[in-house]
Each structure stands twice: as C-alpha cells, then as structure tokens.
Amino acid sequence: MVGLRSGRDGGAVLGIDGCRHGWVGIVLAPGGAVHGVAGGDVGTVVEEAAAVAGPPVAVGVDMPLHLSPAGWRPCDEAVRGFLGARRSSVFPVPPAPALVVDDYGAACEVSRRLAGRAFSRQLWMLRPKIAELAAWWAAAGGPASVREVHPETSFAVMAGAPLTAPKRSWEGAAVRRAALATRGVVVPGDLGEAGRVA
C-alpha cells in the first residue's frame, strides 16, 4: 500500500482504467483529496491528473501491461488463486502473439498452441486498450512508476479477505468505499466526468 502513503505524504497517486469512452482515472492528491479525471487516451489522463494534483509519483493501471511470449502469466494464476470464489474477476492473459491476430478464433488457436488453451472473449474485447497502453508505455520509456494493478485484489487486501458483494451492487460499492476509508481515502460522491463515463 505504498501508493496510498505517497498520495497523502509525498505526491499524487493515479489509478487508471479503460472505459467505453477512453480512459478514466482517480487521483489521490497530497493531503488526501480525491479527484476524478478522464480522457480519450492514457497520456491525456496522466496529464489531467498532473493538472489537478501535480505529476503522479505512482500510476496503477487496471489493464495488462506485461505480456508473456508464451504460456500464461504467473501473476494472473497467483491472483486467481488468492481471490478464490472471486477469481472470475481476473481474465487470464494469453501470450502476446495471440493478441496481435485480428480474428478471435485464430487468436485462440495461437493461444492453444503456445499456452495449451484458448482465452476468454472478455479479454479479447480488451485487446485495443492493451495495445494502446503498450504504445503509450513504449513512447513514455517504460517508466518505473507505472504498475499493473488489479482492484479486486487491492480491495481484498484492504478488507482482509476477498469481497463477496459484486462491485456493481449497492452493497458492493459501499463495502469498497468502506475499505478505502480504512486507509484514509474518502471518495466523493461526484467525480465529475470520470464518474459519468466510467
């Protein structure tokens, strides 16, 4: 939870995720204020975060950042094991060569050849965002302050166990806000455009 400490004491921390309209982010500013930011691409969201809270000292991205050349990523398997009944919130990421193929069926064949099985349609739908993130990452020089994150894992760690209430339910949202509050992060009810497009 170093990122949360940095947000209160040593600089802004930014969390980013893709959405239908581009990308959204939540900024934890020095002093603990929380802001929503949004943009059509990752770079814009990072710039928006810097405009409201200063350049982020850490950026967490809820999107696959490092792809394997063959086989399944050990990090996905470890997180799925940790989450137990909530394991379906993690989409195992196939080897990189499967994600450069433009047809889902053909991509699954590549995955079967390199990793032993196909991958989910949900992960396939993330392919444009994964490619966009990779291009931004390469153009930015692969900054060390950027890390791939998985929100459900973070909430499980904060709460002491995987959460059972679905994140889109009223109870699920309340439990996740409460977990953040235990770490001193109070999310406002209105996050502006980020709240509307997420």
Side-chain angles (χ1 to χ4, degrees):
M1 305 318 296
V2 173
L4 296 182
R5 175 183 292 276
S6 298
R8 287 196 298 267
D9 305 329
V13 173
L14 171 64
I16 302 176
D17 195 4
C19 69
R20 183 175 297 154
H21 302 288
W23 296 79
V24 294
I26 301 294
V27 183
L28 179 60
V34 176
H35 307 276
V37 292
D41 57 70
V42 176
T44 299
V45 173
V46 174
E47 290 169 9
E48 291 292 323
V52 299
V57 297
V59 179
V61 184
D62 182 15
M63 195 68 60
L65 186 58
H66 300 284
L67 305 180
S68 68
W72 299 98
R73 302 187 322 161
C75 61
D76 295 330
E77 296 302 318
V79 170
R80 286 170 65 84
F82 170 72
L83 290 176
R86 298 286 300 151
R87 66 187 292 119
S88 64
S89 67
V90 180
F91 304 139
V93 180
L99 293 180
V100 298
V101 178
D102 287 331
D103 175 76
Y104 177 62
C108 285
E109 284 304 315
V110 172
S111 183
R112 285 185 190 97
R113 181 170 45 82
L114 295 175
R117 66 181 192 272
F119 60 99
S120 72
R121 179 74 69 172
Q122 292 96 328
L123 191 283
W124 174 254
M125 299 304 289
L126 296 178
R127 193 173 72 105
K129 295 290 187 200
I130 294 169
E132 182 184 342
L133 177 61
W136 171 80
W137 171 262
S145 61
V146 178
R147 296 282 192 274
E148 180 180 338
V149 298
H150 185 253
E152 282 303 298
T153 303
S154 298
F155 285 120
V157 170
M158 283 185 264
L163 304 179
T164 57
K167 65 183 179 181
R168 289 189 174 90
S169 70
W170 180 266
E171 178 188 2
V175 168
R176 286 159 179 79
R177 282 175 174 261
L180 288 168
T182 67
R183 304 300 174 138
V185 180
V186 179
V187 180
D190 183 2
L191 290 170
E193 182 184 1
R196 289 188 293 276
V197 301

